[in-house]
Amino acid sequence: HGSCDRYVYLARRIVLDDSKKLSAFDLHEFLHDCCYLGRSEAAVATTASMSIQASRVVNGFWLIFFGLSVVADLNLVPGLSGFLRAVAKRGKDDEGDDPAGKRRRPWWQVTVPHGWFTHFYVVGVLWNAVALFHSLIECAWAGSDPSVVGAALASTLFQAHVTRRLYESAFVSIHRPGGRMHVVGYLIGVVYYICVPLTLAHPLAAAAVVGSVADAWRRGSIAYLLEPIDGTKLEAAADGARHVLKFAFTASGRSGVGALMSGFCVAGGVYAWWVGNAHQHRYHVALAELRGGEKRRENVEKKEREGAAKEYGVPRGGWFERVSCPHYAAEVLLYAGICAVACGSGFGAGGIATGVAGFGPAVAAARTTPMLASVGANLSLAARRNHEWYLRHMPDYPKGRWAMIPGIL
């Protein structure tokens, strides 16, 4: 059974090249039987159970995350909202503003350095790399299904984004030495970057990831997250990468209304992702420059400020002229682009290669919409808090700016 993976890979490619020889549904059942060769019934049952539970946990996380963000932002439950806003504080927003003496309470003392923000992106880069590897293999095995390849393209875009954020957090951003964030907020951030890759991955790839976790758990070694990495898997991943590149530029080359809608969503999504990433990087660099060098000192020396406000200048240029947190608006935009790619890629073709109904845009939207709503709600909370901090601590701050979206927030 050592050649089982190669046999499965070749079988899929042969049948997909001439699907008339075997129905897609029969192929799907056959392949799953092959994938479990050499595994006990208990191992298969464990993997299936973990897949179901993981999906429920991820969906539940997004619903809870969204709900708590809205409660905190709109102050819907005064006691709980205040606690949630306190947990969400970090960096400059962490200083001062303690009318109820929360800092003297035991629960507030459990904090970690704001610089630990980098840990989120380390987790995101590593975990999404595992999900992307399995996604590329699924592309090789079901390359004619746009819903599979589109999901892999979405994971690729997220990998590029989170890698850039890791670079910025480690080498561009300047974290205030005394800046802290609550440990609850830190743990939520870690879970967030575990849930995003599982949300973006196609259900087949997500099941493969959960299966690898089950193997690692059963065998007691984290190495089994990608085991066995052999020539067959690398060949399949490379083949899947070619499918993703082709899809990104041709929207799979299909014709018809479904293909037109798919191409529009993919092209528009990639463009939104690119614009969001470019602008977010620009504004992160601008904010870092304000906290170091002559530009910052000249700005700060003009006004009398106290506390953390002494370390910050008034950001200007680009979207900063309209909003206080354009980097948050850019992040919402790039996430919207990624979700558009994941959802729109399967228009008119979901489930062609796998023979499984329900893998089209509707199911992708059901997975990604709660995530996008959670991102928007959380960043709205952070943007409003930052905007209020600027107005409160900087007498020279422009009063006509919005927090994140002109005319809305």
Side-chain angles (χ1 to χ4, degrees), residues 202-260:
H202 190 276
L204 294 177
V209 173
V210 174
S212 67
V213 173
D215 284 344
W217 177 270
R218 186 172 61 253
R219 302 183 186 187
S221 174
I222 196 174
Y224 285 99
L225 285 176
L226 296 175
E227 282 284 337
I229 302 180
D230 55 18
T232 299
K233 283 193 173 182
L234 292 177
E235 179 185 351
D239 192 21
R242 287 190 289 270
H243 279 291
V244 170
L245 289 174
K246 179 182 177 181
F247 185 85
F249 291 102
T250 67
S252 78
R254 293 179 293 126
S255 60
V257 177
L260 182 62

Side-chain angles (χ1 to χ4, degrees), residues 92 279-290 295 313-329 386-387 390 397-404 406:
K92 60 179 180 293
H279 277 275
Q280 189 179 50
H281 177 69
R282 172 187 175 183
Y283 299 129
H284 281 156
V285 172
L287 290 171
E289 289 178 347
L290 280 177
K295 188 175 182 180
V314 177
R316 300 188 184 279
W319 293 359
F320 274 122
E321 299 303 323
R322 300 293 304 280
V323 297
S324 296
C325 300
H327 49 304
Y328 292 158
N386 280 346
H387 182 65
Y390 280 127
Y397 194 77
K399 301 300 187 293
R401 293 183 182 179
W402 291 79
M404 188 172 75

Side-chain angles (χ1 to χ4, degrees), residues 248-336:
F249 291 102
T250 67
S252 78
R254 293 179 293 126
S255 60
V257 177
L260 182 62
M261 295 177 63
S262 176
F264 177 79
C265 290
V266 172
V270 171
Y271 179 73
W273 167 84
W274 174 259
V275 172
N277 268 279
H279 277 275
Q280 189 179 50
H281 177 69
R282 172 187 175 183
Y283 299 129
H284 281 156
V285 172
L287 290 171
E289 289 178 347
L290 280 177
R291 300 201 54 203
E294 293 295 328
K295 188 175 182 180
R296 180 191 68 83
R297 285 193 292 272
E298 291 175 1
N299 189 303
V300 172
E301 288 172 356
K302 293 179 181 179
K303 301 292 179 181
E304 293 183 0
R305 299 176 184 162
E306 297 179 357
K310 294 181 178 180
E311 302 181 29
Y312 294 86
V314 177
R316 300 188 184 279
W319 293 359
F320 274 122
E321 299 303 323
R322 300 293 304 280
V323 297
S324 296
C325 300
H327 49 304
Y328 292 158
E331 185 159 0
V332 173
L333 178 62
L334 70 89
Y335 267 95

Side-chain angles (χ1 to χ4, degrees), residues 89-288:
K89 286 184 175 182
R90 57 181 183 264
K92 60 179 180 293
D93 187 39
D94 173 64
E95 186 180 80
D97 189 22
D98 187 27
K102 291 184 175 64
R103 293 178 180 281
R104 294 189 294 272
R105 299 178 184 179
W107 63 265
W108 181 254
Q109 305 303 321
V110 188
T111 60
V112 297
H114 186 223
W116 283 21
F117 226 75
T118 306
H119 298 176
F120 300 158
Y121 307 119
V122 172
V123 172
V125 166
L126 296 179
W127 182 240
N128 192 70
V130 174
L132 180 56
F133 182 74
H134 288 288
S135 294
L136 293 177
I137 292 176
E138 288 296 334
C139 286
W141 288 352
S144 61
D145 189 339
S147 68
V148 179
V149 185
L153 176 58
S155 296
T156 302
L157 297 179
F158 181 73
Q159 185 71 22
H161 161 66
V162 76
T163 301
R164 174 187 61 80
R165 288 297 293 123
L166 175 59
Y167 164 77
E168 290 175 351
S169 183
F171 302 107
V172 176
S173 299
I174 301 176
H175 301 286
R176 186 168 62 88
R180 310 286 296 181
M181 60 178 169
H182 199 273
V183 68
V184 174
Y186 172 76
L187 294 176
I188 290 175
V190 172
V191 175
Y192 172 95
Y193 281 97
I194 292 176
C195 289
V196 172
L198 293 177
T199 302
L200 294 176
H202 190 276
L204 294 177
V209 173
V210 174
S212 67
V213 173
D215 284 344
W217 177 270
R218 186 172 61 253
R219 302 183 186 187
S221 174
I222 196 174
Y224 285 99
L225 285 176
L226 296 175
E227 282 284 337
I229 302 180
D230 55 18
T232 299
K233 283 193 173 182
L234 292 177
E235 179 185 351
D239 192 21
R242 287 190 289 270
H243 279 291
V244 170
L245 289 174
K246 179 182 177 181
F247 185 85
F249 291 102
T250 67
S252 78
R254 293 179 293 126
S255 60
V257 177
L260 182 62
M261 295 177 63
S262 176
F264 177 79
C265 290
V266 172
V270 171
Y271 179 73
W273 167 84
W274 174 259
V275 172
N277 268 279
H279 277 275
Q280 189 179 50
H281 177 69
R282 172 187 175 183
Y283 299 129
H284 281 156
V285 172
L287 290 171

Side-chain angles (χ1 to χ4, degrees), residues 29-41:
E29 295 297 307
F30 163 72
L31 292 176
H32 275 71
D33 290 340
C34 289
C35 287
Y36 291 129
L37 284 176
R39 295 187 181 184
S40 65
E41 292 183 3

Side-chain angles (χ1 to χ4, degrees), residues 368-390:
T368 59
T369 299
M371 179 191 72
L372 181 59
S374 299
V375 170
N378 182 61
L379 293 178
S380 296
L381 169 63
R384 199 188 303 273
R385 297 289 300 177
N386 280 346
H387 182 65
E388 293 172 353
W389 186 92
Y390 280 127

